[in-house]
Amino acid sequence: MWHQGFRSRPASGEHDARTPGSAPGSACRRAYYRVAGILPIRLTPLVGREIDVAIFDLSLPDPLMQPIEEDDENAPLMARLRRLEEKLDLLLGATRIDLPRPLSGRDRQSLVFSGSGLALEVDWSFRRGDAYRVEILLPAPYSRVVRAVGFAVEDPPAGTMDAPTRRLAIELRHMETADRDDLVAYSYDLQRVALRARAGEAGC
């Protein structure tokens, strides 16, 4: 089973996502409770030094998700930033540098996830221990990209090498606390929706 590679409890010093008023044991279990969803997600393979760089980058703000509110006070700053952006666009166009595009609806995939890991179908080969930069776009009210560095927890299931897709399970080993909190909070939202749906069906 794909989830056997996930830890059933946080390692020493690892973030323990809790909700107000909940018992520590139950909160810990809820943080690692898996739910299914359809979300924009991007996995980028990492090798060698790229892994350490990606882990370090998690502590830095995502430049694609840092909106600046425009008002009278910072209008001159915004005007300067626009001019700089126009110059950068010209330079990047001239040098043909490919920058990662923001995640959007076209990146939506079905996945199973929790605060500790995720699993989804992929069309490439992988091995246990392979590293990935993980980016997941959460919908409103979060409206932000959560980032992590994760590792494949097992080799592809036997007999799937010739299949069009195979199930990849990833442990989210490196993740900022705020990102993990929002991912867990969104999983709670999905759980509540599922519970209400079941209650409605039972009441019919």
Side-chain angles (χ1 to χ4, degrees):
M1 299 291 290
W2 65 268
H3 58 271
Q4 289 178 343
F6 296 163
R7 292 190 295 271
S8 60
R9 58 184 177 82
S12 177
E14 183 173 325
H15 172 63
D16 180 5
R18 298 178 181 174
T19 52
S22 61
S26 62
C28 177
R29 287 192 296 272
R30 288 186 69 193
Y32 287 78
Y33 183 83
R34 292 175 294 277
V35 297
I38 302 176
L39 289 168
I41 181 172
R42 177 162 54 214
L43 301 180
T44 305
L46 302 171
V47 294
R49 185 172 176 273
E50 294 175 346
I51 300 174
D52 291 332
V53 172
I55 294 172
F56 177 81
D57 286 347
L58 294 177
S59 63
L60 303 178
D62 185 348
L64 298 177
M65 296 297 292
Q66 297 299 314
I68 299 178
E69 303 216 355
E70 186 170 1
D71 53 32
D72 292 339
E73 184 176 345
N74 60 25
L77 172 61
M78 289 299 299
R80 291 183 61 187
L81 288 175
R82 288 196 193 94
R83 289 195 295 270
L84 286 173
E85 185 177 12
E86 291 171 359
K87 292 180 180 179
L88 283 173
D89 287 342
L90 291 174
L91 290 172
L92 293 174
T95 55
R96 297 184 180 179
I97 297 177
D98 293 328
L99 293 178
R101 63 174 177 79
L103 285 167
S104 66
R106 75 181 76 174
D107 302 297
R108 290 175 39 146
Q109 296 187 54
S110 297
L111 64 150
V112 177
F113 70 94
S114 72
S116 65
L118 59 89
L120 73 168
E121 295 291 325
V122 299
D123 58 3
W124 65 81
S125 181
F126 57 87
R127 296 289 301 274
R128 178 179 180 181
D130 285 353
Y132 295 90
R133 178 187 293 110
V134 180
E135 299 166 279
I136 303 173
L137 176 59
L138 299 182
Y142 308 96
S143 301
R144 63 184 296 261
V145 174
V146 298
R147 300 176 295 165
V149 173
F151 297 83
V153 300
E154 59 190 6
D155 293 333
T160 63
M161 293 306 297
D162 295 329
T165 63
R166 54 206 59 86
R167 198 158 183 80
L168 168 62
I170 294 178
E171 178 188 0
L172 302 177
R173 196 173 301 171
H174 302 278
M175 196 172 191
E176 290 294 291
T177 298
D179 283 9
R180 198 183 299 272
D181 282 347
D182 279 354
L183 186 62
V184 170
Y186 180 65
S187 76
Y188 293 167
D189 292 345
L190 293 182
Q191 291 175 50
R192 285 191 288 269
V193 170
L195 287 172
R196 285 197 294 268
R198 285 198 291 269
E201 292 174 357
C204 292

